[in-house]
Each structure stands twice: as C-alpha cells, then as structure tokens.
Amino acid sequence: MNRRHFLRAMSTVSIAVPILTACGSNSNSSAGKSSKPAGGDSSASGPSVSFVHGVASGDPLDDRLILWTRVTPNEAAASSISVLCEVAEDPDFESIVLAENFVTGPERDYTVKFDAAGLLSEQHYWYRFSVGQQQSPVGRALTLPMPGQYAEHLRFAVCSCSSYPHGYFSVYRMIANRSDLDFVLHLGDYIYEYGDGEYGDNAGRLLDPSHEILVLDDYRRRYAHYRSDADLQAVHQIHSFITVWDDHETADNSYKDGAANHNQGEGEWSERKAQAIQAYFEWLPIRPPTVSEDSIYRSFRYGDLADFIMLDTRLEGRIKQLDNPADPARADARDLLGQAQKEWFKNKLATAQNTWKIVGQQVMFAQLQLLEIQRLLPGVPTNDFSPLVAVNMDQWDGYPSEREEILDFVEENTIKNMVVLTGDIHSSWANELYKSSAILTSGVLDEPLGVEFVTPSITSPGFPDGAAEAVSAVLPVVNPHIKYTDLKNHGFILMDVTHQRAQAEFYYAENIDLADQSGVESAKVKTLAVESGSSRLKEDTTLSRPKV
C-alpha cells in the first residue's frame, strides 16, 4: 500500500553545486569564490538581473548560517555573475559584520549559498544579496544557542507536503506570521514531481514544467516555480529552515534503488535520483553533505535543551517496499535506514546530553492497526486501495524488525524524552510509542518509550469529509496508543519546548482553495504535551505564549 492509495482509499552523477564558501567558513570547498575584495563591485551597475525567487537561510548553528538566493539574468544567460552578500546586525545594515563576493552561473542554476561563519550565538542577523545596484529582499535569520549553554525556551514550526496544484500555501503564510519562532523544520515533499492534471486540479495553480519532472532541468524549473510563490518566499525570508527530503523530491514512494513512479521509458533511476538530489542541494538552504555525496542525515544541538537528529528514511538505505503485508519477508531484517545511518542514529541517541532527543524523519513510526476497523465501520470501502485491509507498507510498519531494533535500543539504554516528528501522510497524529506490535493486548499497559507527532500537510490531500471523521472516531479503539488524529485539515505543528515539557500545538488553515484566504487560521487548535521523564501524552494542555 503506498501513501496515495492509503489516502485515496478513504474516499550517478555527484553533487555539482559546491558551496560558495566565505572567509572563516569551515568548509573545504572554495568553488565560486570571487577574487575581488568584499564589496569591490557594489557600486557598479553589473549585468541586468532580478531576485524573483527571494532569499532563504538554513541549517543554523551557534556560529553560522547558510544564506541562499538565486539570481535570474534578465538578458541572455551570462556564463558567470558576481554576487555580493552582506550580513548585518540590524535590518538597516548600519552594522555590517560580513560581506563577501561570489560568482555563480548556469552550472549551479545561478543559485548562491554562503556559509556565513563567525557569528554570535542566539542573535538575529539580517542579510541581502546584490549585483551592482540591484538588491534582493532582506532576509532575517537566527543563530542557535551554543551547545551545552542553558536554553530556557524553544519554539519551532513543523511542516511537510506542499503540492502546488492542490491549493494556495496559506500554511506557509501562517508560519511566516509568527515572528518569534527559532526555525522551521520541513520534513519533506517540498515539491512534487507530477505534471498538470496528474495530482491536484486547482485551476489557478498550474505547474512549470507542465509534464512530470525527470531530468535536471525539469527539477530546477519545478523548484523555481515553487519558489516564485509569495507565501513560500515569505516564510523563507523570516525563518531559517532545517530540511530533509521525502519521496516526491525524487519520485513517489522512492527507495534506494527505484521508485513506484519511475516507470519504463523514464531513463535510469540512478541518473534521475542524482539529478533530483543535485537540484535539491542547489535550491534548498542546506549544507553540502558531509557523510557522502547524497546523504542528508545530520544533527543539531540547541543549547542544553534539545538534540535534533535528522534522518533519511527514504533514499539512504531503504530497500524496496513489499507489495503484500502478508508477505513472510515483512518479518525479516529489512533496511529502512541502512546500516551506517542506523548505527549513527543509535550513537546519537545514546550520547545526546540535552533534555530532549528530537528525531525529525519522514514516515510514520508508530504501529497502525487497521484490520479491525472494517468490522467496526462496515460501510467503509475495502477495495485494493483501502488501508483497511492492509498496513501502509511505505511506513515503518513495512519494516517492523528495524523499528523493533531501534526501540529495543531505546529501552536497553534507558533513553528518555524521545520525541519523533513525522510528515508524509497529509494528516495529524499524536502517538505514544511502544515496543509491542500487539498494542491491544499488552502495549499500552507498559510505559511508552517515546512519543510521535505527525504534522498535517501544507496542501496535499488527506481523507475526504465523512470518512475522516468516522475513522478518527474508531482509530483509538483498535489503536489506543493513538491519542489524536485529524485526517483532513491542512496546517502545521508549533512545538513549544522547555526543560519541563514538550508541547505540540496543531494549527490549521481556514481555506487553501482561495488566494485571498492566505494566512487565515481556523479556530480549531489542538494541544498535546509530554512531560520530561514521562512519555504519556496529555491532551488539551494550555496554549503556550510567544517567546520574548
């Protein structure tokens, strides 16, 4: 069962974009660095360009940030363009702390990345790019506290799954409207690979290119199309992103060696995957990989409050999904993470020193038992696409032995305060995590080993009206570890974290079908929290307050 069917039923080239390295960066690459002194040509007119894709920042640390833009030539494409990046301590740029010139060109799709190092911890910075007198919008970014430093309060947004043809990016605007967030955690499906009419039908949201994207130029154009959206630009302009990919940055239900939506006549999978990854690193404000040329699993430390462990459950080590949940091979040791990433993950969990261990990843971790729902809801269809006769084999349920290995490790090493954050399935979930797959008979009598919050989608469709409400009512009966679901509304999770508790607040968009409703929030808000030292979820806790 793939995710699209799951939801419908309820109705190698290496990375070719070396970072443009600033003085003081710890990167070994200096590709694209201009020989001119910082600011040396800022008074010249320069070639005619525009900054139609805005600016972005990402992968914040306590002393550096990735800063991004894309320069669009307004004339015949130049072979190279010199771009100045300036970083200041104030929005008026009266106190500039960094200024560097870079050269970009068609080999990196005219994108610029600057690993701006030597910054102060826990401080806002403003940044801009310019070519001659032509300037980009001004972006804002925030560095993290130093590792081990006392950190009282952390607030960040969690989001995923933004299908352009399914509606307007109202949720991105909602996140942009919250100026006090530390960063945004994006858990994948930043773009989708389909062509017009294949997935989503909002008449005002046609795609470029109009066909399914297959090669490097296609992926670049699709990112450019998404990044022309005003709501997406707004959230990038005010908040740094920490991102991981899911499947649609390559193709539906992708795995290490293929994808459900990579078909005969579409070329070699290895070439398509490599080109999709290249475009991803060009267009997202993420550091170049350090483990291998196409790896994105990495970690962040937020003072003494939280360790962030970002996983790749999609391309790093996943073997092909089984077609049949009754296949005896499902019980075998089947890789989802891959051995190298799994050992890295265990080590990060075991050595994390902060209060919270926050795991950002793509597909639902908790068990999802659906076989009994048909007995309780006999009117719900059980055709070949129905999740009611099978588990979703794309989730951790399709790789249960590896999940059990991880949970065994958590239990044996007495790892406390593990919070798993998940995207992928276009709906809201809050789950307690148990080792036993027989949740009904034994699991909930034990102490949970962690909790999981699954974020709703930006626009990608969930369950239809009627079925969404009916299934939400029945799910906890056969899955008592599932404490909350909303299976149709679009939104994001605001995580508010202190040393005492981690709270998830689910916020929803009023309407994603109309452009003039962008950023308008629904009255519905759901809160759930877990206290430090316990993994029991508490519902309807008090809403948090913005950070000072």
Side-chain angles (χ1 to χ4, degrees):
M1 293 298 297
N2 68 38
R3 175 183 54 267
R4 289 184 64 200
H5 291 167
F6 177 86
L7 296 167
R8 281 168 45 194
M10 306 309 292
S11 54
T12 168
V13 294
S14 63
I15 303 304
V17 56
I19 195 164
L20 308 185
T21 308
C23 293
S25 169
N26 66 351
S27 171
N28 293 324
S29 170
S30 60
K33 182 73 178 292
S34 171
S35 60
K36 299 178 182 179
D41 67 348
S42 61
S43 62
S45 61
S48 176
V49 302
S50 54
F51 293 90
V52 297
H53 301 105
V55 296
S57 65
D59 277 7
L61 299 177
D62 62 291
D63 66 341
R64 67 190 62 225
L65 297 150
I66 293 290
L67 307 179
W68 178 98
T69 195
R70 200 257 183 171
V71 179
T72 302
N74 295 332
E75 304 163 347
S79 59
S80 64
I81 296 175
S82 179
V83 185
L84 171 67
C85 181
E86 296 172 295
V87 183
E89 294 180 329
D90 63 288
D92 295 324
F93 287 80
E94 293 180 354
S95 178
I96 295 176
V97 296
L98 287 175
E100 290 286 342
N101 268 295
F102 303 102
V103 173
T104 187
E107 72 282 356
R108 57 178 59 87
D109 202 19
Y110 295 97
T111 59
V112 177
K113 278 187 182 180
F114 176 19
D115 199 349
L119 304 178
L120 300 177
S121 63
E122 284 192 288
Q123 180 159 323
H124 279 107
Y125 288 92
W126 286 261
Y127 62 96
R128 65 188 178 193
F129 298 84
S130 59
V131 176
Q133 296 298 313
Q134 303 152 109
Q135 287 189 344
S136 73
V138 173
R140 189 193 74 161
L142 176 64
T143 53
L144 305 185
M146 290 185 293
Q149 174 187 341
Y150 176 71
E152 181 177 7
H153 193 188
L154 165 64
R155 279 166 70 86
F156 62 97
V158 186
C159 60
S160 71
C161 303
S162 48
S163 172
Y164 193 92
H166 276 99
Y168 293 93
F169 290 162
S170 177
V171 176
Y172 281 138
R173 181 67 67 170
M174 289 165 55
I175 300 172
N177 288 341
R178 294 179 177 270
S179 62
D180 72 317
L181 302 180
D182 291 281
F183 50 80
V184 175
L185 210 63
H186 197 294
L187 299 177
D189 292 345
Y190 186 94
I191 63 167
Y192 281 69
E193 82 275 19
Y194 303 109
D196 278 332
E198 296 177 0
Y199 190 54
D201 58 1
N202 188 304
R205 304 284 282 178
L206 298 178
L207 292 165
D208 180 51
S210 60
H211 56 265
E212 181 182 341
I213 54 178
L214 298 171
V215 298
L216 179 58
D217 183 63
D218 293 341
Y219 283 98
R220 285 171 165 175
R221 286 173 59 187
R222 187 60 57 85
Y223 278 107
H225 186 60
Y226 268 63
R227 293 293 284 271
S228 67
D229 183 274
D231 296 325
L232 181 51
Q233 286 190 22
V235 71
H236 273 298
Q237 190 172 344
I238 193 170
H239 296 309
S240 297
F241 271 49
I242 297 174
T243 68
V244 288
W245 56 53
D246 197 9
D247 53 339
H248 292 289
E249 286 90 347
T250 48
D252 181 50
N253 275 14
S254 53
Y255 52 98
K256 182 173 61 175
D257 298 318
N261 194 31
H262 185 71
N263 305 308
Q264 188 174 1
E266 293 182 341
E268 293 293 328
W269 168 250
S270 60
E271 294 180 5
R272 181 179 184 178
K273 181 174 78 168
Q275 292 178 73
I277 289 173
Q278 177 178 333
Y280 184 90
F281 277 103
E282 288 173 347
W283 279 85
L284 271 292
I286 179 175
R287 279 188 181 80
T290 55
V291 178
S292 69
E293 63 186 18
D294 57 359
S295 293
I296 57 168
Y297 63 90
R298 61 206 193 280
S299 62
F300 300 83
R301 292 189 65 190
Y302 190 91
D304 68 344
L305 183 55
D307 285 280
F308 285 82
I309 306 170
M310 306 301 295
L311 300 180
D312 178 1
T313 63
R314 183 56 63 186
L315 299 178
E316 177 69 27
R318 178 195 283 259
I319 64 173
K320 185 178 181 181
Q321 302 89 335
L322 293 174
D323 295 324
N324 183 359
D327 191 328
R330 182 169 169 248
D332 295 343
R334 305 179 66 253
D335 282 344
L336 182 64
L337 298 176
Q339 189 63 31
Q341 183 181 198
K342 182 167 59 178
E343 293 306 315
W344 175 88
F345 180 30
K346 289 179 179 178
N347 180 64
K348 287 296 181 183
L349 285 173
T351 59
Q353 299 178 7
N354 291 347
T355 301
W356 299 96
K357 293 79 181 171
I358 300 177
V359 181
Q361 54 102 54
Q362 293 83 353
V363 293
M364 196 159 94
F365 191 83
Q367 299 93 338
L368 180 57
Q369 298 191 131
L370 294 161
L371 297 178
E372 290 296 312
I373 293 183
Q374 171 59 22
R375 180 177 63 82
L376 297 169
L377 288 176
V380 176
T382 56
N383 55 34
D384 290 341
F385 298 126
S386 178
L388 305 184
V389 295
V391 296
N392 182 351
M393 300 299 283
D394 189 57
Q395 297 178 178
W396 282 82
D397 275 335
Y399 304 80
S401 64
E402 187 153 285
R403 174 174 57 197
E404 185 174 356
E405 180 182 347
I406 296 298
L407 291 175
D408 280 342
F409 183 84
V410 170
E411 182 179 51
E412 291 166 4
N413 289 272
T414 321
I415 294 169
K416 298 295 185 181
N417 298 341
M418 183 177 74
V419 177
V420 178
L421 300 176
T422 301
D424 185 65
I425 54 173
H426 312 172
S427 43
S428 306
W429 305 68
N431 311 313
E432 294 175 348
L433 300 176
Y434 296 89
K435 211 170 56 166
S436 172
S437 59
I439 298 295
L440 282 174
T441 58
S442 63
V444 295
L445 301 179
D446 302 327
E447 183 68 20
L449 296 174
V451 300
E452 178 181 33
F453 300 116
V454 182
T455 182
S457 70
I458 302 294
T459 56
S460 303
F463 297 2
D465 286 341
E469 290 79 4
V471 174
S472 278
V474 171
L475 269 172
V477 177
V478 292
N479 296 270
H481 62 299
I482 297 175
K483 302 303 180 182
Y484 170 68
T485 58
D486 180 301
L487 304 179
K488 68 176 184 179
N489 287 303
H490 307 282
F492 73 98
I493 298 174
L494 191 157
M495 290 296 303
D496 189 275
V497 183
T498 67
H499 286 279
Q500 290 72 43
R501 62 100 180 96
Q503 177 159 295
E505 302 177 2
F506 292 80
Y507 291 91
Y508 299 100
E510 181 67 27
N511 188 313
I512 66 165
D513 298 322
L514 302 174
D516 63 3
Q517 293 293 297
S518 179
V520 178
E521 296 188 7
S522 165
K524 177 178 180 177
V525 181
K526 178 68 176 181
T527 63
L528 300 101
V530 56
E531 294 180 352
S532 178
S534 169
S535 291
R536 296 283 184 186
L537 285 171
K538 294 185 175 181
E539 292 190 67
D540 301 321
T541 47
T542 304
L543 276 175
S544 62
R545 293 186 176 185
K547 290 181 72 172
V548 176

